[in-house]
């Protein structure tokens, strides 16, 4: 089993370096085979030079060119990848020190029964405030992603068939997981921490658009009835609002 770690970057050399350093947790396990795919949006901050100087370490392959946003860049990463499963760790996201133990379990998934394998993630709000997001049961997809995007191992065959839909500006990860789920790829929850990432991305800062986008996914892909989708929308709006408030408080 080969894992493709896909990293998208844009003018964030420090973040790319941070993600790169965390790959050592996997490299320390000789029984784990992985590759690192980096898609840089044509940054002029030294990112391309840094990647070039790695001389293919961790089976690195990269491109540095303009794209049409983060999800377009992720699709480019999918096209470059050759693994059985893919995990998206964008620049600045890192593997948890115990991630190798989790990744090792992927080999136990039958090849004829691929699934979206989910685990836990550590969310960093800043100022030493961290919290663990535990993976939930698969049915949770009808409300939201059952795990953080950075803790979902996607089967590559599914990604090749159902790439990220660029019509969803901030919830294409939710739309992708929903499409795969409806196409017969179940969620398989495993115990353990996979990754750690800082809050403050688009989904945190623009929570209203996120909730509207997610409601659209529920109605058009998951076929959630209107009333239930509206209840889910209001619950999500309250939850993401609290998350945004915590992040802004720790920024001060």
């Amino acid at each position: 089993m080969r894992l493709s770690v896909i990293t998208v970057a844009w003018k964030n050399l420090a973040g790319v370096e941070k993600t790169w350093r965390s790959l050592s947790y996997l490299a320390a396990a000789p029984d784990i085979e992985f590759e690192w795919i980096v898609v840089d949006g044509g940054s002029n901050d030294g990112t391309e030079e840094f990647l070039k100087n790695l001389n293919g370490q961790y089976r690195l392959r990269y491109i540095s060119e303009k794209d049409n946003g983060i999800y377009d860049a992720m699709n480019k990463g999918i096209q470059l990848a050759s693994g059985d499963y893919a995990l998206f760790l964008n620049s600045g996201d890192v593997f948890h020190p115990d991630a190798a133990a989790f990744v090792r379990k992927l080999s136990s998934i039958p090849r004829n029964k691929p699934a979206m394998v989910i685990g836990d993630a550590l969310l960093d709000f800043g100022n030493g405030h961290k919290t663990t997001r535990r993976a939930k049961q698969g049915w949770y997809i009808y409300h939201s992603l059952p795990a953080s995007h950075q803790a979902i191992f996607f089967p590559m065959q599914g990604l090749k068939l159902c790439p990220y839909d660029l019509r969803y500006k901030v919830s294409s990860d939710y739309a992708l997981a929903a499409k795969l789920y409806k196409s017969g790829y179940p969620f398989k929850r495993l115990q353990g921490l996979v990754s750690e990432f800082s809050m403050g991305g688009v989904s945190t800062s623009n929570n209203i658009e996120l909730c509207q986008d997610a409601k659209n996914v529920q109605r058009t892909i998951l076929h959630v009835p209107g009333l239930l989708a509206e209840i889910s929308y209001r619950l999500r709006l309250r939850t993401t609002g609290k998350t945004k408030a915590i992040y802004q408080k720790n920024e001060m």
Side-chain angles (χ1 to χ4, degrees), residues 9 21 38-41 47 64 72 83 91 103 105 111 121 149 159 168 194 197 215 220 230 237-238 251:
R21 286 192 294 270
V38 181
V39 181
D40 174 59
T47 295
S64 183
D72 180 47
S91 56
V103 172
K105 299 175 187 177
R111 287 183 175 270
H149 189 216
L159 290 177
Y168 297 96
V194 174
F197 61 94
K215 184 179 179 181
T220 59
E230 180 63 24
L237 195 62
R238 184 171 62 182
E251 261 197 325

Side-chain angles (χ1 to χ4, degrees), residues 116-153:
M116 289 178 281
V117 182
I118 58 177
D120 304 334
L122 199 59
L123 283 56
D124 187 351
F125 287 87
N127 289 332
H129 182 184
K130 296 182 180 182
T131 185
T132 301
R133 183 187 177 189
R134 305 288 183 188
K136 297 178 173 61
Q137 298 299 324
W139 56 261
Y140 195 77
I141 188 67
Y142 287 100
H143 171 62
S144 183
L145 281 174
S148 297
H149 189 216
Q150 296 90 332
I152 302 177
F153 294 84

Side-chain angles (χ1 to χ4, degrees), residues 11-68:
K11 293 185 178 180
N12 188 13
L13 174 58
V16 172
E17 292 175 330
K18 185 178 179 182
T19 302
W20 165 71
R21 286 192 294 270
S22 79
L23 296 177
S24 63
Y25 298 132
L26 296 191
D31 57 326
I32 292 178
E33 182 181 357
F34 72 96
E35 63 180 2
W36 189 29
I37 308 296
V38 181
V39 181
D40 174 59
S43 305
N44 58 1
D45 62 348
T47 295
E48 186 175 8
E49 291 77 7
F50 169 75
L51 295 171
K52 182 179 179 180
N53 290 334
L54 291 179
N55 294 316
Q57 184 186 31
Y58 303 141
R59 296 184 177 89
L60 169 67
R61 279 178 287 159
Y62 70 91
I63 56 174
S64 183
E65 61 186 27
K66 290 184 179 180
D67 53 57
N68 293 316

Side-chain angles (χ1 to χ4, degrees), residues 131-218:
T131 185
T132 301
R133 183 187 177 189
R134 305 288 183 188
K136 297 178 173 61
Q137 298 299 324
W139 56 261
Y140 195 77
I141 188 67
Y142 287 100
H143 171 62
S144 183
L145 281 174
S148 297
H149 189 216
Q150 296 90 332
I152 302 177
F153 294 84
F154 292 99
M156 189 63 71
Q157 66 180 59
L159 290 177
K160 299 285 188 180
L161 293 172
C162 298
Y164 289 92
D165 189 335
L166 305 189
R167 291 175 297 177
Y168 297 96
K169 302 302 182 183
V170 292
S171 290
S172 193
D173 49 354
Y174 182 37
L176 169 64
K179 284 182 180 179
L180 290 177
Y181 184 76
K182 297 296 283 187
S183 298
Y185 293 92
F187 289 99
K188 184 173 180 60
R189 180 185 178 191
L190 298 178
Q191 297 296 323
L193 278 161
V194 174
S195 59
E196 177 178 343
F197 61 94
S198 298
M199 302 298 289
V202 174
S203 60
T204 304
S205 59
N206 197 359
N207 66 308
I208 295 178
E209 184 177 1
L210 170 72
C211 295
Q212 293 170 339
D213 231 16
K215 184 179 179 181
N216 189 22
V217 170
Q218 291 170 333

